[in-house]
């Protein structure tokens, strides 16, 4: 019997947790390190929309589309329904030609988008005050509380013997004489065969001994979570001035300009008030919408906006998985990367997203 491969995953957000689970599924002995609490940073501050509605290239659409299906299957397998729901999205951020172009693009890709008129929207969302003339309905989409999903996956990993190490920073890597790597952490050294960097926005800082950093253009974003409200909304709502959705406990999760970059100096409490006011305006009745939490997070965004997954160039045995839309993509990417590392099976879905594209950057 051959010994199980030893894999150290650096980062315990949704990407690292998914990768750890997938490596363990394939028989590896996994250790997950995080310099902070388990569950990730961006993952704790995310809107959590699981979608393939926006993808600049066909390859990126194919990856996102496959990721939705994979997330559903994982959710059923691990009974994640407390943290993941699949209500579909109503989208009307744009009007006119831009709206039509989005509909045409999704239709051409076979995404199953439906163009709804005012009355159809009102029937789906009776608590919406001023329904738009048109919206796109994408029923396949969902939303996740990404930090809770990551923590659930990690709990599963731990139950099967995986090692979880919160509050332990990975400082550097160096080759081990017997093969593999020595991982130097704030709590001592570890020996392993493979290292996977799922460090999110911190990927721009690199890691000692790796001699490689990922060019990143991280962006700050704000999410407001409210106290539970009685008024129900039934879909993820993407409107021109606010996007919001409802958790099973009735709390609303809302964001400002989608994928925008929040100015460092922007007044977060004032912006949160604006977001709340916009929600109040959208819903019927005298709504008591109170913010429970205003979260400021950093979106991990590789320089060209696309995911980076696979071998770190020139460093055998070290791999990377860093991306925006990591909530959508994390579970599938984890699975594909685990197969590549442990079984030597590379998926064509990942071929456009290799770290080598930044060589010389
Ligand atoms: C405001 C906002 C809204 C978003 N909305 C969406 C959305 O609607 N849909 C979507 O799909 N995505 C969305 N995203 C993006 C998504 O949240 C991220 O892509 C995803 O959470 C990344 O997960 P991760 O595991 O890679 O990173 P993280 O969750 O950030 O986890 C990385 C972890 O690595 C740890 N780490 C870093 N360096 C080290 C080290 N040296 N040693 C040990 N640990 C280390 C960190 O402590 C951290 O816990 C949003 C992000 C933000 C901020």
């Amino acid at each position: 019997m051959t010994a199980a491969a030893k894999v150290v995953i650096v980062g315990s957000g949704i990407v690292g947790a998914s990768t750890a689970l997938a490596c363990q599924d394939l028989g590896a002995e996994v250790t997950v390190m995080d310099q902070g609490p388990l569950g990730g940073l961006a993952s704790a501050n995310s809107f959590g929309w699981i979608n393939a509605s926006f993808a600049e290239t066909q390859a990126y659409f194919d990856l996102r589309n496959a990721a939705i299906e994979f997330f559903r299957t994982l959710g059923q397998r691990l009974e994640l329904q407390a943290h993941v729901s699949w209500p579909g999205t109503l989208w009307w951020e744009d009007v006119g030609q831009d709206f039509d172009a989005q509909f045409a693009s999704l239709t051409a890709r076979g995404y199953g988008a439906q163009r709804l008129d005012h009355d159809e929207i009102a029937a789906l969302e009776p608590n919406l005050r001023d329904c738009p003339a048109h919206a796109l309905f994408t029923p396949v989409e969902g939303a996740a509380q990404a930090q809770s999903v990551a923590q659930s996956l990690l709990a599963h990993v731990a139950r099967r013997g995986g090692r979880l190490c919160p509050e332990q920073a990975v400082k550097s890597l160096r080759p081990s004489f017997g093969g593999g790597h020595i991982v130097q952490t704030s709590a001592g050294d570890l020996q392993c065969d493979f290292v996977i960097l799922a460090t999110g926005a911190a990927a721009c800082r690199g890691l000692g001994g790796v001699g490689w950093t990922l060019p990143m253009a991280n962006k700050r974003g704000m999410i407001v979570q409210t106290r539970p409200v009685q008024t129900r909304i039934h879909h993820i709502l993407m409107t021109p001035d606010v996007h919001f959705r409802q958790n099973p406990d009735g709390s609303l999760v809302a964001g400002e300009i989608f994928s925008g970059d929040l100015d460092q100096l922007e007044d977060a409490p004032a912006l949160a008030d604006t977001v709340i006011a916009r929600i109040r305006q959208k819903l019927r009745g005298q709504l008591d919408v109170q913010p429970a939490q205003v979260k400021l997070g950093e979106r991990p965004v590789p320089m060209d906006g696309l995911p980076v997954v696979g071998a770190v160039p020139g460093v055998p045995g070290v791999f990377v998985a860093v991306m925006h839309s990591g909530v959508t993509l994390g579970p599938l990417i984890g699975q594909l990367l685990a197969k590549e590392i442990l079984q030597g099976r590379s998926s064509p879905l990942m071929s456009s997203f290799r770290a080598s594209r930044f060589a010389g950057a």
Side-chain angles (χ1 to χ4, degrees):
M1 210 173 86
T2 52
K6 288 186 183 156
V7 182
V8 170
I9 295 111
V10 189
S12 70
I14 192 163
V15 175
S18 301
T19 309
L21 178 80
C23 287
Q24 194 182 50
D25 282 346
L26 296 181
E29 220 175 86
V30 300
T31 302
V32 180
M33 313 286 310
D34 204 298
Q35 62 192 8
L38 297 175
L41 278 172
S43 304
N45 295 308
S46 187
F47 182 61
W49 184 27
I50 304 165
N51 78 91
S53 271
F54 293 92
E56 297 83 341
T57 64
Q58 184 64 36
Y60 192 34
F61 172 80
D62 291 342
L63 183 70
R64 296 183 73 113
N65 200 26
I68 294 175
E69 186 56 36
F70 187 84
F71 208 143
R72 269 180 198 274
T73 310
L74 184 72
Q76 282 161 5
R77 174 186 151 200
L78 296 187
E79 299 182 353
L80 296 175
Q81 58 275 7
H83 317 302
V84 188
S85 58
W86 299 97
T89 304
L90 289 172
W91 176 89
W92 69 98
E93 284 179 298
D94 292 330
V95 292
Q97 280 182 348
D98 291 340
F99 180 97
D100 294 341
Q102 175 68 356
F103 182 44
S105 154
L106 293 181
T107 305
R109 286 173 167 173
Y111 193 50
Q114 299 162 31
R115 184 191 163 104
L116 304 187
D117 66 20
H118 176 278
D119 292 352
E120 291 170 312
I121 300 161
L124 287 180
E125 286 293 355
N127 289 320
L128 208 51
R129 196 197 295 264
D130 292 317
C131 288
H134 299 286
L136 294 187
F137 179 37
T138 40
V140 76
E141 294 176 353
Q145 292 166 264
Q147 181 189 36
S148 306
V149 170
Q151 289 166 345
S152 297
L153 303 187
L154 293 170
H156 196 74
V157 165
R159 278 197 294 276
R160 297 190 305 182
R163 198 169 149 212
L164 308 181
C165 306
E167 314 294 344
Q168 292 185 25
V170 171
K171 308 268 190 208
S172 69
L173 308 180
R174 63 174 194 274
S176 161
F177 286 126
H181 301 273
I182 304 287
V183 182
Q184 194 211 343
T185 82
S186 51
D189 289 357
L190 288 174
Q191 205 275 335
C192 67
D193 301 303
F194 303 109
V195 179
I196 301 172
L197 306 176
T199 50
C204 63
R205 290 196 289 278
L207 210 56
V210 175
W212 175 84
T213 50
L214 188 56
M216 303 278 287
N218 298 333
K219 292 179 179 171
R220 281 161 52 98
M222 187 193 72
I223 296 296
V224 184
Q225 179 145 355
T226 73
R227 300 220 171 89
V229 298
Q230 282 190 339
T231 305
R232 300 309 294 189
I233 57 164
H234 306 289
H235 302 84
I236 300 152
L237 300 180
M238 307 297 295
T239 89
D241 62 3
V242 64
H243 50 278
F244 60 111
R245 62 181 181 82
Q246 198 162 31
N247 283 325
D249 68 358
S251 60
L252 297 169
V253 180
E256 34 79 57
I257 314 145
F258 204 69
S259 293
D261 194 3
L262 202 64
D263 191 309
Q264 296 279 348
L265 302 174
E266 199 141 7
D267 181 350
L271 188 57
D273 286 346
T274 306
V275 166
I276 296 281
R278 288 175 184 168
I279 293 176
R280 278 204 197 100
Q281 223 173 29
K282 297 258 170 336
L283 297 178
R284 287 185 195 283
Q286 290 296 314
L287 269 188
D288 184 25
V289 189
Q290 299 296 335
Q293 248 188 315
V294 177
K295 304 176 181 185
L296 291 174
E298 203 171 7
R299 304 169 189 273
V301 188
M303 195 54 92
D304 60 4
L306 296 170
V308 176
V309 58
V312 168
V315 196
V318 180
F319 298 81
V320 62
V322 171
M323 67 212 71
H324 189 263
S325 291
V327 182
T328 302
L329 297 170
L332 176 66
I333 290 279
Q335 163 86 353
L336 298 180
L337 188 55
K339 282 187 179 169
E340 181 164 286
I341 297 170
L342 298 168
Q343 299 182 328
R345 290 162 57 198
S346 292
S347 166
L349 281 173
M350 296 201 292
S351 56
S352 300
F353 306 108
R354 300 308 193 176
S356 53
R357 70 184 187 271
F358 294 114

